[in-house]
């Protein structure tokens, strides 16, 4: 994220293309930890912005995490796209 969030703006965390959390962010950084253990496998995570009206931006670049046993994934990052559909900026 290249700027602080606007009023009511949040990030949606997607695991394997399904929204698993909606979180806030501070400045230009964010973090997310899975609330429960995940089994072995490969998981793909992306984040996207969601404005106060519910419009979502384009997902960022996916990050894959491969697990060999049951653990909690923890992610953090920076730049996230804030590209809303036309007319929603």
């Amino acid at each position: 994220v290249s700027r602080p969030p606007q009023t009511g703006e949040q990030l949606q965390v997607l695991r394997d293309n399904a929204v698993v959390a909606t979180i806030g962010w501070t400045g230009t950084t964010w973090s997310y930890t899975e609330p429960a253990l995940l089994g072995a496998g490969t998981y793909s995570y992306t984040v996207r912005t969601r404005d106060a009206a519910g419009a979502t931006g384009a997902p960022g670049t996916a990050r894959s995490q491969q697990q060999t046993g049951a653990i909690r994934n923890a992610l953090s990052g920076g730049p996230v796209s804030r590209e809303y559909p036309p007319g929603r900026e």
Side-chain angles (χ1 to χ4, degrees):
V1 181
S2 60
R3 48 140 188 95
Q6 295 177 358
T7 301
E9 197 170 37
Q10 298 178 310
L11 291 178
Q12 288 184 325
V13 179
L14 294 85
R15 179 183 354 102
D16 298 329
N17 296 316
V19 176
V20 294
T22 300
I23 61 174
W25 79 90
T26 303
T28 59
T29 61
W30 58 272
S31 65
Y32 170 73
T33 301
E34 286 283 357
L37 298 176
L38 296 177
T42 300
Y43 301 93
S44 176
Y45 290 90
T46 56
V47 293
R48 65 184 180 197
T49 55
R50 181 176 183 271
D51 70 13
T56 56
T61 302
R63 299 169 119 178
S64 291
Q65 300 230 350
Q66 185 172 9
Q67 312 307 347
T68 56
I71 66 165
R72 283 189 178 161
N73 282 337
L75 305 168
S76 63
V80 174
S81 171
R82 187 189 172 271
E83 295 179 18
Y84 294 112
R88 293 298 301 185
E89 295 186 30

